[in-house]
Amino acid sequence: MTGMMTTGTTTIGMMTGTINPRVRLTEILGALAARVQTGAAKAFAITLADMENSAIIDAVEQDRVNEVRELIEEYLEWMISTHPEPQKVREVLASQGTDSELADLAGHYERIWLATVDDAPAGCIMYKPLSETTAEFKRLYVRPTGRGHGFGRRLVEITIGAIKEAGYKEVVLDSDPKLATAIAMYGRMGFEYIKPYNDNPAQDAVFMRMKL
């Protein structure tokens, strides 16, 4: 794994924006059109120079879980507003119990990371145990104008390193085939396609695994 880590901190780069962290999923869905039109999810554009002022921190240790919640809500909005089958996304999110997840992120996940630029929220990732040997990472999100600089890969690398250090033997994920860029990145990093390991209702859901 590349990069330096000190007490849950390493280098990264991305952007900022705000959403009410207590909004329930149903309210989020209802607010989509207005938010997309007003550009509320936009923030400052990222350049390579911003990487010097960026970090990945442990959101629980630094008491910044609410900011991760905001990013996840933004991510869900982005998924629904840009997906050609938004109802399918809603069904998948409902099957995952997203409302209860958002209400208690620290209770759902073993580790949660927040990426920042100039200390402003920029991206996130987290993982949870599925068994004594298997962990699953979820909610990888980099704000749209911060993509294309390798930030997503760095978040995944840090997560895989932590999962391996915690003693797990493999890491799994599920994804939507429309997220082709992310899926291709997972493949380059050593993930392989596997059969379904959960009850994701999407018939075309993608399932992948990396042995550690």
Side-chain angles (χ1 to χ4, degrees), residues 58-87:
D58 186 302
V60 176
E61 289 182 0
Q62 301 298 319
D63 194 24
R64 299 183 66 171
V65 174
N66 282 345
E67 292 168 86
V68 174
R69 184 178 294 109
E70 293 169 5
L71 284 170
I72 295 175
E73 289 172 344
E74 182 179 306
Y75 166 65
L76 302 183
E77 292 181 6
W78 174 79
M79 277 290 293
I80 294 170
S81 65
T82 60
H83 200 283
E85 299 179 74
Q87 184 56 36

Side-chain angles (χ1 to χ4, degrees), residues 1-5 8-15 44 46-58 64 71 113-125 140-143 146-159 185:
M1 185 177 70
T2 61
M4 297 177 60
M5 292 187 66
T9 303
T10 192
T11 346
I12 195 69
M14 292 153 217
M15 10 181 328
F44 57 87
I46 297 305
T47 67
L48 293 178
D50 289 316
M51 295 179 68
E52 295 181 0
N53 302 316
S54 60
I56 294 178
I57 63 175
D58 186 302
R64 299 183 66 171
L71 284 170
W113 285 276
L114 172 68
T116 65
V117 172
D118 290 329
D119 204 42
C124 61
I125 192 170
L140 170 64
Y141 179 60
V142 177
R143 282 184 159 144
R147 296 171 192 168
H149 301 296
F151 302 149
R153 185 182 181 99
R154 181 64 61 81
L155 283 162
V156 174
E157 287 174 340
I158 289 171
T159 303
M185 178 186 71

Side-chain angles (χ1 to χ4, degrees), residues 13 19 41 46 76 116 145 168 173 204:
I19 304 172
I46 297 305
L76 302 183
T116 65
T145 59
Y168 296 99
L173 64 91
D204 59 349

Side-chain angles (χ1 to χ4, degrees), residues 17-20 28 31-42 74 77:
T18 57
I19 304 172
N20 183 344
I28 295 172
L32 274 177
R35 293 186 61 83
V36 170
Q37 290 174 359
T38 59
K42 292 183 178 179
E74 182 179 306
E77 292 181 6

Side-chain angles (χ1 to χ4, degrees), residues 86-158:
Q87 184 56 36
K88 182 183 76 170
V89 178
R90 294 185 182 96
E91 292 173 357
V92 171
L93 295 176
S95 74
Q96 294 175 347
T98 310
D99 281 343
S100 61
E101 173 190 341
L102 290 173
D104 184 20
L105 287 174
H108 276 70
Y109 294 101
E110 189 165 302
R111 296 289 301 276
I112 302 172
W113 285 276
L114 172 68
T116 65
V117 172
D118 290 329
D119 204 42
C124 61
I125 192 170
M126 53 216 70
Y127 80 81
K128 61 182 178 181
L130 296 185
S131 71
E132 291 185 357
T133 59
T134 303
E136 177 187 42
F137 82 72
K138 301 283 290 183
R139 310 307 184 207
L140 170 64
Y141 179 60
V142 177
R143 282 184 159 144
T145 59
R147 296 171 192 168
H149 301 296
F151 302 149
R153 185 182 181 99
R154 181 64 61 81
L155 283 162
V156 174
E157 287 174 340
I158 289 171

